[in-house]
RNA sequence: GGGCGAGUGGCGGAAUUGGUAUACGCGGAGGACUUAAAAUCCUCUGGAAGAAAUUCUGUGCGGGUUCGAGUCCCGCCUCGCCCACCA
């Protein structure tokens, strides 16, 4: 008989809710753990089966740890600010606060039907003024300490939507909403000085128990490169843009290179089109062409600049620099393969040893000079057909000839430094974090603009700066907050003159950079979280979420922790000691689930049809937590059969102990315990199924064994376990039970089937004690009928015996 | 182009980290129960040969190390994800 999940699951959910079973406090004399799942964006689509996977996994671990006496903080909340709600408002006029509220209620309902043991008293929403008050407060802390600043920068601009876009809203060079091409625009924006921590963020990765892949991505994103900044003097410099005014003032163009060893191979320089020296350097005969080229570069879409077509274009600007060592004339070009926001915005081109320079030089017929050869003796290769970028030995480099690339890097850097023509320099790809958005549905940046005093922080007592309601969501190129009347009735905090509020809001990644801190003390009105509570729980012991946050959220949150530690607000640098990524759950067709493909599985339907315990266990049983796995509803049917077996086995409870079952129980305890700790939930479920099959096949099951089994099952199937626990006569929740310990002697088999091999090929098996001596094992092995056949006329020259596993007889 | 990861039955996957390959589940075949079906239960289920015992073969492909390789080493192929003009 199947059990009725529609009856028992709501029953237990209501009881857990009523008793607030999972609320935790900072108890002394108890070990504690902080388990964190990446909080969801409460979309109108509701909970995804992918959410269920990571929440169920950490729920199982949390329930297990509580049964082991741990005090476990396992909170949930909502990353509630963001674009989809705002876009929906633009389309329908429904206020984002309303859609978000509905979505959160739906998420909460869904998560409760899954039986997740979150501490619901700590639920937070980043869109709640109670929360974003402290986002704003933290912004001001960064601002006070020069970690938040305002500067002009090129940003993504969608002309159709009239707004800047975050990088993540630019998909294949197009605006994700209207599909118009995105262009670069120079705008003044707010930044966080994450680059200050580039080195520390890089070094800190070393000790983290994170997936290698994520660490590699962060290293690459930070992109540390050590090299030399070299000055190239400009020797031909004739007139300014204004026309006839001659100006012979000498100056240098600094370039950054990681390959100073190739310095003697420089045949031209490239400046980024936006480089400020271009105006000064361009000669009159090239002036018009340069203006045209720069305008074209500026108009270039993101797609053209970074797309797969890496066609290199550029133009000579009429000027020439002097090689810092040889004094040779080096023509100066502009080309948009040089990027203004990396290094100095200028490149020394060495076409013989850099692929980009080679492509460019080939196209524009610029000289290619080889200065690195693969061996010391190698002569100059005639007619180079591609750049040689491997290490080697220097040639055509005067006094540096014969040096290895490694030695030459040092030697040439030394020479440049002693001649004051250059200096060693470290550069990073990492840019400061642009945090301002001309958007409505985010935390307002707590700054007041005064004509006299400039940017003034909003006094702490005036926080939160609440989002106004009287706005028009239609994009105009400015934040919708600009249109609010109430919002701007404000005086300068310093001089009290009428002033204007900053109308930009913060990137939602700011909200999520510190939410784990708020969970430790979510209702605090005095500060973002009581330092004692933060100290008790933090850092997070295990963080589970999708790999798509590898370089955005996870890097930002680390930056926040480093910065807050420096400001004395917290006592640790690294927020997440151990990180794991759950794999994607694909549609039944093996493709990524999407509405347009129609392959989305709704957890509500599975819960309705098979029950919460089934969806929890099925998602764990599908495969390894970190792998991508296709959904198959038939598989959920199998899990439900397994649960029904356990339900039906309660009718077999009798006093007598069954020796075989007892042994299996201890094996199961051992296996399930080890697997939960390793997050190998798929094999833990498999072990539970094996035991369930054995109970089904047994004539009777003792209550002792059945009840121990229920305890093992409880983290996976909390509703069914509670129900059966109650039905077997218990008043207290099964979750008050201690996790069982296995008896090593009992978990071990008295007799095991071992393979007998002859020359490595299995020729038979035998049942022996795993403790049998080698000589006895050998004797038994030789006696196995089929083995004896293979030994006939042969001599045993060697015996390999792995107790409990196999015997291998090596014969000649 | 670069980085990371993965290739095991019809399918999802397991394999104590070098020791009986395919656990567990799905699907399939046959049987029991039933007037019948569903549900449930039992048996079988990598391929080839054989009545059977058994033998050969088999973890993407080709080599190697080893008594023994899905696992380690070398060389390929295919797929997936992420990043991508960073000097």
């Amino acid at each position: 008989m199947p059990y009725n999940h529609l009856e028992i699951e709501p029953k237990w959910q209501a009881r857990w809710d009523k008793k607030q079973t999972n609320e935790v406090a900072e108890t002394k004399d108890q070990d504690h753990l902080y388990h964190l799942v990446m909080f969801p964006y409460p979309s109108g689509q509701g909970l995804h089966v992918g959410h269920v996977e990571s929440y169920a996994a950490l729920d199982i671990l949390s329930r297990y740890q509580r049964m082991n006496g741990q005090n476990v903080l396992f909170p949930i909340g909502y990353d509630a600010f963001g674009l989809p709600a705002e876009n929906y408002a633009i389309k329908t006029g429904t206020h984002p606060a309303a859609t978000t509220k509905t979505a959160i209620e739906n998420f909460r309902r869904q998560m409760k039907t899954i039986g997740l043991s979150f501490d619901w008293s700590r639920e937070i929403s980043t869109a709640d003024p109670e929360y974003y008050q402290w986002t704003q407060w933290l912004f001001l802390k960064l601002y006070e300490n020069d970690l938040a600043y305002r500067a002009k920068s090129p940003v993504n601009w969608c002309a159709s939507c009239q707004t800047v876009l975050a990088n993540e809203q630019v998909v294949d060079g197009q605006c994700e909403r209207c599909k118009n091409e995105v262009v670069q625009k120079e705008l003044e924006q707010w930044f966080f000085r994450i680059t200050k921590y580039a080195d520390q963020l890089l070094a800190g990765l070393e000790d983290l128990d994170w997936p290698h892949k994520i660490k590699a991505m962060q290293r690459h994103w930070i992109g540390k490169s050590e090299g030399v900044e070299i000055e190239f003097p400009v020797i031909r410099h004739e007139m300014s843009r204004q026309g006839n005014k001659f100006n012979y003032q000498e100056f240098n163009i600094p370039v950054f290179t990681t390959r100073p060893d190739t310095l003697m191979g420089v045949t031209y320089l490239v400046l980024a089109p936006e480089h400020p020296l271009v105006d000064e350097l361009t000669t009159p005969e090239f002036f018009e062409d340069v203006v045209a080229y720069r305008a074209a570069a500026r108009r270039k879409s993101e797609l053209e600049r970074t797309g797969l077509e890496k066609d290199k274009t550029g133009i000579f600007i009429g000027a020439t620099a002097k090689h810092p060592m040889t004094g040779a004339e080096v023509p100066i070009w502009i080309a948009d393969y040089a990027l203004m926001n990396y290094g100095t915005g200028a490149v020394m081109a060495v076409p013989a040893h850099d692929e980009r320079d080679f492509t460019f030089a080939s196209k524009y017929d610029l000289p290619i000079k080889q200065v690195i050869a693969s061996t010391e003796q190698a002569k100059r290769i005639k007619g180079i057909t591609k750049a040689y970028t491997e290490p080697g030995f220097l040639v055509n480099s005067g006094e540096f000839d014969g040096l290895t690339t490694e030695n030459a890097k040092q030697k040439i850097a030394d020479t440049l430094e002693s001649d004051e023509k250059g200096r060693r320099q470290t550069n990073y790809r990492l840019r400061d974090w642009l945090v301002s958005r001309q958007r409505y549905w985010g935390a307002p940046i707590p700054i007041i603009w005064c004509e006299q005093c400039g940017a003034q922080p909003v006094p702490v007592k005036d926080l939160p700066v609440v989002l106004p309601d009287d706005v028009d969501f239609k994009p105009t190129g400015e934040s919708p907050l600009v249109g609010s009347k109430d919002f701007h009735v404000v005086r300068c905090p310093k001089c009290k003159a009428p002033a204007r509020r900053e109308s930009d809001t913060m990137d939602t990644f700011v909200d999520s950079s510190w939410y784990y801190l708020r969970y430790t003390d979510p209702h605090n009105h005095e500060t973002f979280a009581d330092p004692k509570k933060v100290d008790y729980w933090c850092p997070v012991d295990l963080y589970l979420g999708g790999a798509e946050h590898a370089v955005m959220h996870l890097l930002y949150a680390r930056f926040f922790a480093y910065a807050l530690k420096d400001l004395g607000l917290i006592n640790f640098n690294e927020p997440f000691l151990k990180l794991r990524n759950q794999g994607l759950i694909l549609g039944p067709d093996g493709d990524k689930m999407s509405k347009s493909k129609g392959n989305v599985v709704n957890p509500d339907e599975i819960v309705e049809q098979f029950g919460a315990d089934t969806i929890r266990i099925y998602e764990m049983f599908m495969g390894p937590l970190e792998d991508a796995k296709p959904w198959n509803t038939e598989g959920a049917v199998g899990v439900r059969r397994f649960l029904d077996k356990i339900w039906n086995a309660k009718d077999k409870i009798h006093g007598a102990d069954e020796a075989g079952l007892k042994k299996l129980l201890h094996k199961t305890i051992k296996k399930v315990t080890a697997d939960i700790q390793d997050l190998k939930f798929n094999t833990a479920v498999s072990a539970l199924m094996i035991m369930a099959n054995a109970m089904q096949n047994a004539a009777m099951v003792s209550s002792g064994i059945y009840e121990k089994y229920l305890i093992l099952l409880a983290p996976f199937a909390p509703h069914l376990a509670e129900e059966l626990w109650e039905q077997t006569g218990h008043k207290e929740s099964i979750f008050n039970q201690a996790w069982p310990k296995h008896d090593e002697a009992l978990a071990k088999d008295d007799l095991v089937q071992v393979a007998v091999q002859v020359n490595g090929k299995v020729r038979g098996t035998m049942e022996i004690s795993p403790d049998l001596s080698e000589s006895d094992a050998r004797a038994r092995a030789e006696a196995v009928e089929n083995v004896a056949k293979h030994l006939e006329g042969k001599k045993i020259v060697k015996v390999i015996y792995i107790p409990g596993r196999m015997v291998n007889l090596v014969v000649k």
Side-chain angles (χ1 to χ4, degrees):
Chain A
M1 279 293 290
Y3 69 96
N4 185 356
H5 60 273
L6 295 173
E7 195 176 298
I8 70 167
E9 290 183 349
K11 163 182 161 186
W12 287 101
Q13 285 157 14
R15 285 206 202 171
W16 296 330
D17 245 15
K18 197 172 161 205
K19 289 189 182 164
Q20 300 166 338
T21 42
N22 301 305
E23 291 187 17
V24 287
E26 297 73 34
T27 52
K28 291 202 177 76
D29 309 319
Q30 192 184 10
D31 287 337
H32 52 83
L33 290 166
Y34 188 171
H35 288 169
L36 185 64
V37 289
M38 289 184 186
F39 64 167
Y41 174 76
S43 81
Q45 322 271 316
L47 206 65
H48 185 273
V49 288
H51 291 122
V52 176
E53 182 187 22
S54 74
Y55 303 169
L58 218 41
D59 184 63
I60 290 164
L61 185 68
S62 298
R63 288 180 183 274
Y64 161 80
Q65 292 291 14
R66 289 188 202 111
M67 292 166 95
N68 275 288
Q70 295 275 353
N71 190 22
V72 183
L73 175 57
F74 183 43
I76 191 67
Y78 310 94
D79 191 11
F81 276 137
L83 268 178
E86 187 170 345
N87 290 344
Y88 188 75
I90 293 166
K91 216 160 71 183
T92 65
T94 316
H95 196 281
T99 38
T100 302
K101 182 168 178 277
T102 310
I104 287 178
E105 282 164 2
N106 190 40
F107 265 69
R108 186 186 300 121
R109 175 193 63 77
Q110 289 186 295
M111 290 191 287
K112 291 204 173 186
T113 64
I114 303 290
L116 300 168
S117 63
F118 292 126
D119 179 347
W120 290 101
S121 71
R122 293 173 187 258
E123 202 181 11
I124 58 174
S125 159
T126 56
D128 185 343
E130 289 268 304
Y131 182 90
Y132 69 69
Q133 162 175 16
W134 300 107
T135 307
Q136 292 171 337
W137 186 84
L138 289 166
F139 178 97
L140 292 177
K141 282 287 167 195
L142 296 182
Y143 181 67
E144 280 165 27
N145 290 279
D146 193 37
L147 291 168
Y149 66 95
R150 202 166 156 88
K152 217 168 187 184
S153 160
V155 294
N156 302 307
W157 175 261
C158 174
S160 148
C161 299
Q162 294 271 300
T163 181
V164 297
L165 297 175
N167 284 332
E168 59 270 25
Q169 291 149 2
V170 182
V171 180
D172 289 335
Q174 299 172 335
C175 170
E176 70 166 357
R177 198 190 324 162
C178 71
K179 307 295 174 199
N180 260 41
E181 292 208 331
V182 171
V183 295
Q184 298 286 303
K185 199 171 176 177
E186 190 93 351
L187 287 173
E188 203 173 274
Q189 299 289 323
W190 285 97
F191 291 86
F192 284 165
R193 210 177 292 283
I194 188 171
T195 53
K196 183 181 171 190
Y197 291 92
D199 249 332
Q200 290 182 64
L201 289 169
L202 196 59
L205 286 172
E206 292 305 317
D207 299 324
L208 294 178
D209 179 5
W210 283 25
H212 289 294
K213 185 185 163 178
I214 304 290
K215 288 206 218 180
M217 282 169 78
Q218 290 215 350
R219 272 189 208 106
H220 182 248
W221 193 263
I222 294 168
K224 179 176 182 170
S225 30
E226 293 177 68
V228 182
E229 200 172 294
I230 305 173
E231 305 283 354
F232 279 71
V234 177
I235 57 167
R236 190 173 149 218
H237 174 227
E238 290 197 342
M239 78 170 61
S240 72
R241 174 170 36 171
Q242 280 74 25
N244 299 327
K245 256 188 352 193
F246 282 75
N247 177 0
Y248 289 100
Q249 188 198 341
E250 284 225 350
F251 55 89
N252 292 328
I253 300 174
V255 304
F256 174 75
T257 182
T258 55
R259 295 292 306 273
D261 53 308
T262 63
L263 179 58
M264 296 308 200
V266 174
T267 56
Y268 63 101
L269 294 188
V270 184
L271 306 187
E274 313 84 31
H275 199 291
L277 288 177
V278 174
D279 283 336
E280 312 290 325
L281 290 169
T282 306
T283 56
E285 64 266 45
F286 292 96
F287 190 73
E288 263 182 46
D289 290 345
V290 168
V291 168
Y293 181 80
R294 297 178 85 184
R298 200 175 321 118
R299 272 199 315 272
K300 260 197 183 178
S301 69
E302 191 71 13
L303 186 62
E304 286 167 310
R305 280 180 84 106
T306 64
L308 294 169
E309 285 293 317
K310 284 176 195 165
D311 189 33
K312 299 219 171 0
T313 63
I315 183 169
F316 178 53
I317 64 170
T320 311
K322 196 160 75 175
H323 192 286
M325 282 195 179
T326 65
E329 290 204 358
V330 180
I332 302 173
W333 288 60
I334 57 172
D336 63 4
Y337 82 90
L339 308 173
M340 195 54 228
N341 51 8
Y342 184 76
T344 62
V347 183
M348 62 173 224
V350 186
H353 306 294
D354 180 278
E355 280 166 20
R356 293 153 301 175
D357 297 343
F358 184 85
T359 310
F360 192 80
S362 304
K363 180 172 176 183
Y364 293 103
D365 213 16
L366 288 156
I368 298 171
K369 182 189 176 194
Q370 185 192 9
V371 291
I372 310 284
S374 55
T375 64
E376 209 163 350
Q377 286 77 28
K379 289 275 180 292
R380 181 182 166 177
I381 307 158
K382 287 212 177 81
I384 295 179
T385 54
K386 64 186 248 256
Y388 178 78
T389 56
E390 304 292 306
F393 297 86
L394 269 70
V395 293
N396 296 329
S397 298
E399 56 177 306
F400 304 108
D401 276 1
L403 291 174
T404 62
T405 43
E406 235 7 78
N407 289 337
K409 275 182 188 172
Q410 300 309 322
K411 200 77 181 281
I412 291 176
D414 289 343
T415 308
L416 287 166
E417 282 187 339
S418 63
D419 295 347
E420 293 186 12
K421 287 174 176 169
R423 68 210 73 83
R424 284 182 168 83
Q425 172 89 34
T426 302
N427 270 332
Y428 299 89
R429 305 169 60 118
L430 185 68
R431 313 281 156 69
D432 275 340
W433 173 13
L434 195 167
V435 295
S436 45
R437 296 290 134 90
Q438 293 72 48
R439 292 287 182 174
Y440 172 73
W441 194 228
I445 291 175
I447 293 289
I448 291 169
W449 290 99
C450 171
E451 298 245 340
Q452 309 304 317
C453 316
Q456 291 298 315
V458 171
V460 170
K461 67 173 172 49
D462 295 341
L463 295 180
V465 177
V466 178
L467 267 176
D469 277 330
D470 58 335
V471 298
D472 180 2
F473 299 115
K474 228 174 133 196
T476 59
E478 288 181 300
S479 162
L481 300 191
V482 172
S484 165
K485 291 188 189 80
D486 296 351
F487 194 65
H488 294 293
V489 182
V490 65
R491 287 182 176 275
C492 170
K494 198 170 169 190
C495 73
K496 308 296 173 203
R500 194 178 176 289
R501 277 195 197 279
E502 169 65 63
S503 53
D504 283 0
T505 54
M506 279 184 254
D507 180 1
T508 54
F509 279 116
V510 180
D511 310 328
S512 56
S513 288
W514 71 279
Y515 76 111
Y516 67 96
L517 295 169
R518 187 65 178 172
Y519 280 142
T520 67
D521 193 14
H523 308 297
N524 196 318
H525 295 288
E526 309 302 318
T527 183
F528 68 98
D530 179 347
K532 284 203 242 25
K533 295 185 174 180
V534 174
D535 279 348
Y536 180 87
W537 293 111
C538 289
V540 172
D541 293 287
L542 175 60
Y543 195 21
L544 191 60
E548 68 274 17
H549 292 296
V551 283
M552 309 290 283
H553 162 59
L554 287 170
L555 194 61
Y556 295 150
R558 291 183 64 222
F559 155 68
F560 249 69
Y562 276 82
L564 298 189
K565 165 104 189 293
D566 268 3
L567 303 184
L569 294 170
I570 58 176
N571 289 316
F572 57 90
N573 279 330
E574 290 294 345
F576 315 123
L577 299 178
K578 178 171 173 173
L579 173 75
R580 291 295 180 269
N581 298 124
Q582 86 271 15
L584 274 186
I585 291 185
L586 307 169
D589 53 3
D591 286 332
K592 197 169 165 174
M593 284 189 191
S594 75
K595 256 203 305 195
S596 59
K597 286 203 191 100
N599 60 354
V600 178
V601 176
N602 182 351
D604 278 345
E605 288 170 17
I606 305 299
V607 170
E608 164 82 18
Q609 199 181 346
F610 303 105
D613 289 335
T614 298
I615 193 173
R616 292 166 61 102
I617 294 176
Y618 171 59
E619 291 205 22
M620 295 303 100
F621 186 59
M622 288 172 83
L625 182 63
E626 307 208 45
D627 288 6
K629 317 159 269 271
W631 180 274
N632 174 15
T633 301
E634 294 292 339
V637 173
V639 168
R640 177 55 203 248
R641 282 186 197 134
F642 153 64
L643 293 177
D644 282 327
K645 270 179 214 174
I646 299 165
W647 173 263
N648 293 325
K650 72 181 192 300
D651 300 332
K652 296 193 171 187
I653 297 175
H654 285 95
D657 250 354
E658 238 241 68
L661 269 189
K662 189 162 189 182
K663 192 163 268 306
L664 182 59
L665 174 71
H666 283 265
K667 283 188 187 175
T668 307
I669 294 171
K670 187 178 178 179
K671 175 77 176 153
V672 171
T673 305
D675 282 350
I676 291 177
Q677 286 170 355
D678 283 348
L679 307 179
K680 290 182 183 169
F681 302 108
N682 53 331
T683 49
V685 172
S686 165
L688 289 169
M689 284 176 168
I690 290 169
M691 175 90 189
N693 289 341
M695 290 195 296
Q696 178 179 263
N697 293 330
M700 57 182 76
V701 178
S702 77
S703 64
I705 286 175
Y706 189 72
E707 288 175 11
K708 280 280 193 307
Y709 181 82
L710 290 181
I711 298 173
L712 295 180
L713 179 74
F716 296 86
H719 311 87
L720 182 64
E722 285 274 39
E723 178 65 25
L724 288 170
W725 188 252
E726 187 181 60
Q727 291 196 18
T728 48
H730 298 278
K731 295 269 180 285
E732 275 215 328
S733 165
I734 192 168
F735 293 102
N736 293 337
Q737 296 298 306
W739 189 257
K741 297 218 178 337
H742 76 276
D743 179 332
E744 189 63 44
L746 272 171
K748 205 168 144 187
D749 283 307
D750 304 324
L751 284 178
V752 288
Q753 199 182 55
V754 304
V756 182
Q757 303 180 343
V758 178
N759 283 351
K761 278 197 196 297
V762 179
R763 296 300 178 186
T765 59
M766 58 186 186
E767 291 255 309
I768 59 169
S769 156
D771 305 321
L772 201 66
S773 74
E774 178 166 337
S775 55
D776 288 350
R778 174 183 170 163
R780 289 279 308 274
E782 285 182 53
V784 174
E785 195 188 328
N786 191 46
V787 172
K789 229 163 60 187
H790 284 89
L791 293 177
E792 260 171 56
K794 304 272 175 68
K795 199 177 142 202
I796 296 173
V797 293
K798 197 173 173 187
V799 177
I800 289 138
Y801 176 48
I802 310 290
R805 292 257 147 243
M806 48 73 68
V807 180
N808 187 11
L809 305 171
V810 184
V811 301
K812 260 191 181 161

